Amino acid sequence: MREEDLYTEQYFGDEQQSVADAPQWEQQALPATRLNVYRNPYLDSMTAKVLLGDYFDTGRLPPAEVVAAVRHQSWRDLEYKGGSLDVAGDRLYVLFFRSMCSKLSYVKVGRTKKDDEEQVRKRIRAHESEAKIAQAVLFDAWISRPCVSAVEWETGVKAHLSAAAEEEIIPVERVKAEYFRGIAFGAAVRVARMQEDRRGVVFLAP
């Protein structure tokens, strides 16, 4: 399967649409940003998120500094909630990518197993790169502290969300094994924390 076909299926399911038909910001791509050069003391993260939402809702291309501020906060949240990303151990993560086109916004649930010091960052950055096809920005992010194994934990979260989609218990639509639309980021994190207790996750000592 071609890569573009995979993404078409991932974001649109069985509908006969193309990712190329998704709304664009006046035919422009999102501005490129770098996390390590974000320096704007006058633009706090909450303001940046509100501004980004306003730009997306009105179909306008957001300034690079607004996109950078939102991404910067998401990465800070990863470090705040999961501790150092360079510590060994399995981790579960929940990422929310927001697009100007609400249909293309989605939650990504995944697991990472550390095998080198950059593994976690590489995985998240790969998801950010993947999200560009939907003109989506990493808007919210959560990651667990390192644990012995997150395999069953990840399985439980995806099964819970998939069952909820089938039974219409909560407003969520599964569009791929680890991709969900319609569910709020906070609700997805709550499912992850609930499954943490059910699966008896064992965390590594700090």
Side-chain angles (χ1 to χ4, degrees), residues 30-38 62-72 128 132 137:
L30 275 171
T33 62
R34 294 176 60 188
L35 293 173
N36 60 350
V37 297
Y38 169 70
E65 65 175 6
V66 172
V67 176
V70 172
R71 289 187 62 225
H72 180 79
E128 285 193 292
K132 290 179 181 178
V137 176

Side-chain angles (χ1 to χ4, degrees), residues 74-75 77-78 81 91-97 106-112 123-124 127 138-145 153-154 157-158 161 178-180 183-195:
S74 294
W75 278 88
D77 287 343
L78 290 172
K81 296 165 184 174
R91 296 176 188 259
L92 181 80
Y93 56 81
V94 178
L95 309 175
F96 173 54
F97 290 93
Y106 61 94
V107 164
K108 170 74 169 69
V109 176
R111 174 181 64 90
T112 181
R123 181 70 61 84
I124 305 300
H127 291 317
L138 181 59
F139 197 81
D140 282 305
W142 175 89
I143 194 168
S144 72
R145 292 179 290 115
W153 190 5
E154 178 193 30
V157 173
K158 292 189 293 186
L161 293 176
E178 301 178 345
Y179 297 80
F180 301 88
I183 188 172
F185 169 74
V189 172
R190 285 193 293 273
V191 169
R193 300 309 296 266
M194 180 174 63
Q195 288 294 323

Side-chain angles (χ1 to χ4, degrees), residues 47-118:
T47 299
K49 287 188 175 184
V50 171
L51 287 174
L52 186 66
D54 288 342
Y55 277 101
F56 281 3
D57 292 342
T58 55
R60 295 176 295 147
L61 183 71
E65 65 175 6
V66 172
V67 176
V70 172
R71 289 187 62 225
H72 180 79
Q73 184 59 47
S74 294
W75 278 88
R76 288 187 63 186
D77 287 343
L78 290 172
E79 292 273 6
Y80 175 74
K81 296 165 184 174
S84 173
L85 301 182
D86 298 327
V87 177
D90 273 22
R91 296 176 188 259
L92 181 80
Y93 56 81
V94 178
L95 309 175
F96 173 54
F97 290 93
R98 181 167 180 178
S99 171
M100 181 179 69
C101 178
S102 59
K103 184 172 183 178
L104 297 182
S105 297
Y106 61 94
V107 164
K108 170 74 169 69
V109 176
R111 174 181 64 90
T112 181
K113 182 175 177 60
K114 179 177 171 59
D115 52 22
D116 67 68
E117 62 182 17
E118 282 290 314

